[in-house]
Amino acid sequence: MKKIETSAADLAFRATTEETCQWLAQQTGTPWTLARLIESGLTPYVWLDYCADYPALFGQATGGYPAPIFFADDTARLAAGSADVLITLTKDADKIVVQLDPPGIRRPLEALRFLQRDIARLADEIRKANEPAKVVVVTPKESQNGISKEQVLSAFAHLLKIDLEKALASGSGIFGDEGARVKGSARKAKNKAVWNPVTLALGLNDVYRVPMAHLKRAFNEQACLAEWRENWRVTLDLLGE
């Protein structure tokens, strides 16, 4: 069935079952029945004219009000193809749940109504669920996150016999090329350079033989390395450390 997009304004404020099914069929391109409406979560209503048998049900609504049908037994009966509407539990005019005395209230199936806003919301949910997933193209980009020279010195300088500050300032990234320095971080100014502490720590262990136990302690104790601890742990796991 071809979908025909129409506005919810084409629906009555309280649409009949037939009107609701026709409109949703136009929106979704699939057939609808009363059972499907209920299974999809739509709440049917029945207009109740004032009845002296249930004075508490109406309160100040002496002209009547739309009573919702939401009790599982009542809606299951409708979905199963009942010949009429049986309401055994509903809400009164003040929207308070009320259990009706047996046998409840019966009305013809033609009395069922569905609210325009509920129908439109269901159509919107179906439309969104059927939209193709958006493909997000991610362009690989090297992370610019790192720690500053001051943080590097605070975390690691005491573990080395070399002048770490001088090594950082040499522009070689300590290990040649960019090394542990985040690529491009010093492009505008040297004082803007940052270092990846995980890469740096691994290099300190490999090149300068800083004991791994000392590096682990640094990541556990140094505040500037707190957000890198999980990255460090995962890296050690991959290395079998």
Side-chain angles (χ1 to χ4, degrees):
M1 184 183 293
K2 184 178 179 181
K3 293 190 291 184
I4 303 174
E5 296 294 335
T6 56
S7 167
D10 297 324
L11 279 167
F13 180 69
R14 296 191 186 95
T16 65
T17 302
E18 183 179 3
E19 290 170 341
T20 303
C21 288
Q22 288 180 350
W23 190 82
L24 284 173
Q26 292 175 341
Q27 300 302 305
T28 65
T30 57
W32 284 79
T33 62
L34 175 58
R36 187 181 177 189
L37 295 178
I38 292 172
E39 291 166 0
S40 298
L42 276 188
T43 299
Y45 290 77
V46 167
W47 180 270
L48 296 181
D49 288 320
Y50 182 82
C51 177
D53 293 337
Y54 297 98
L57 195 61
F58 295 88
Q60 300 299 315
T62 55
Y65 78 100
I69 305 170
F70 58 87
F71 182 48
D73 289 351
D74 296 344
T75 56
R77 184 174 179 274
L78 287 173
S82 62
D84 62 1
V85 180
L86 175 61
I87 309 173
T88 61
L89 184 146
T90 186
K91 292 182 180 180
D92 64 18
D94 295 318
K95 303 187 185 305
I96 298 174
V97 176
V98 176
Q99 177 76 54
L100 302 178
D101 294 332
I105 296 176
R106 288 184 181 274
R107 291 292 186 272
L109 282 177
E110 292 75 16
L112 287 176
R113 296 292 185 271
F114 294 88
L115 298 186
Q116 182 190 80
R117 67 168 185 269
D118 294 345
I119 303 168
R121 181 167 56 245
L122 175 59
D124 190 52
E125 290 172 355
I126 294 172
R127 190 177 300 112
K128 289 180 179 178
N130 291 333
E131 287 179 353
K134 294 182 179 179
V135 178
V136 179
V137 179
V138 179
T139 303
K141 182 179 180 180
E142 185 172 346
S143 172
Q144 293 299 302
N145 294 328
I147 60 176
S148 66
K149 181 183 74 173
E150 291 72 19
Q151 291 173 317
V152 170
L153 297 177
S154 173
F156 301 115
H158 63 287
L159 303 178
L160 294 152
K161 293 182 179 179
I162 67 167
D163 187 337
L164 184 56
E165 183 173 9
K166 183 178 179 180
L168 293 176
S170 68
S172 64
I174 297 185
F175 313 126
D177 193 15
E178 292 288 347
R181 188 172 63 195
V182 175
K183 187 176 181 180
S185 62
R187 188 172 293 129
K188 293 184 178 180
K190 286 187 176 181
N191 62 358
K192 298 296 184 182
V194 293
W195 285 261
N196 183 308
V198 175
T199 304
L200 180 59
L202 294 176
L204 295 177
N205 170 257
D206 182 52
V207 178
Y208 296 102
R209 297 296 184 265
V210 175
M212 192 63 76
H214 294 178
L215 295 168
K216 291 179 180 179
R217 187 178 304 113
F219 275 90
N220 288 332
E221 297 177 355
Q222 295 290 333
C224 63
L225 301 179
E227 64 180 284
W228 296 86
R229 285 170 189 159
E230 181 62 17
N231 192 322
W232 171 247
R233 183 192 65 77
V234 171
T235 302
L236 292 185
D237 287 345
L238 292 174
L239 294 175
E241 295 286 349

